Amino acid sequence: MRTVVALLLSAILLQGCATVRGWFGGSGGNNVDGLPYRARIQTGDDKRDFTVTVRAQGASLDAVRESARFPATRHCLRRVGLSDIDWQLDPSGTEWAAVRTADGDLVVRGRCSGRA
C-alpha cells in the first residue's frame, strides 16, 4: 500500500513540475524563442494532401519546417501508413513554398507520398 501511495505522489509531483515549467517560459508547444512552434494541420480533398499552419510570427522558414514536420509525418503515418512527404516547393524548386498570413503565421502544403 505504501508503494502505491508513493508512486501516485511521485506522478502528481512530476505533473506539477511540467506545469510550473510552462509558467516560466519553458517549452510547452508554444515557445516563441525556440522549437516547436504551435502547428495545426488540415486535410485536403484527398487524404494524402494537407496544409500546415504554423503560429510563428517572425520565425524563419527553417524553424517553421521543424515545427511542421512532426504533425505532417504523424498525419501521413495515420492516413497512408508511410512517412514520406512531397512538400510544395517555391518556383525555384529549392525551398518549401510558404505563405505568410495576415496574422504572421506561415502556411506550408504537402502530400503524403508512396504507395497506399
Side-chain angles (χ1 to χ4, degrees):
M1 182 64 175
R2 233 199 241 179
T3 305
V4 173
V5 171
L7 288 173
L8 287 173
L9 184 59
S10 297
I12 292 169
L13 290 174
L14 286 174
Q15 178 58 37
C17 291
T19 302
V20 170
R21 183 176 172 200
W23 290 342
F24 294 102
S27 177
N30 196 18
N31 187 0
V32 287
D33 296 327
L35 296 172
Y37 292 103
R38 189 161 297 196
R40 186 180 75 239
I41 191 162
Q42 294 176 314
T43 304
D45 293 334
D46 183 341
K47 69 180 181 179
R48 292 175 176 255
D49 297 328
F50 61 86
T51 302
V52 181
T53 303
V54 180
R55 297 192 58 87
Q57 296 176 347
S60 68
L61 183 55
D62 288 336
V64 169
R65 278 189 196 129
E66 292 305 315
S67 296
R69 277 189 181 114
F70 178 76
T73 302
R74 182 176 56 202
H75 167 81
C76 289
L77 283 171
R78 288 180 177 169
R79 297 288 177 119
V80 181
L82 299 167
S83 62
D84 297 333
I85 299 171
D86 291 329
W87 294 98
Q88 186 176 32
L89 300 177
D90 67 5
S92 71
T94 58
E95 294 288 335
W96 290 8
V99 177
R100 192 168 297 275
T101 66
D103 296 334
D105 301 340
L106 277 174
V107 178
V108 294
R109 290 181 171 76
R111 179 173 174 81
C112 304
S113 61
R115 287 184 25 204

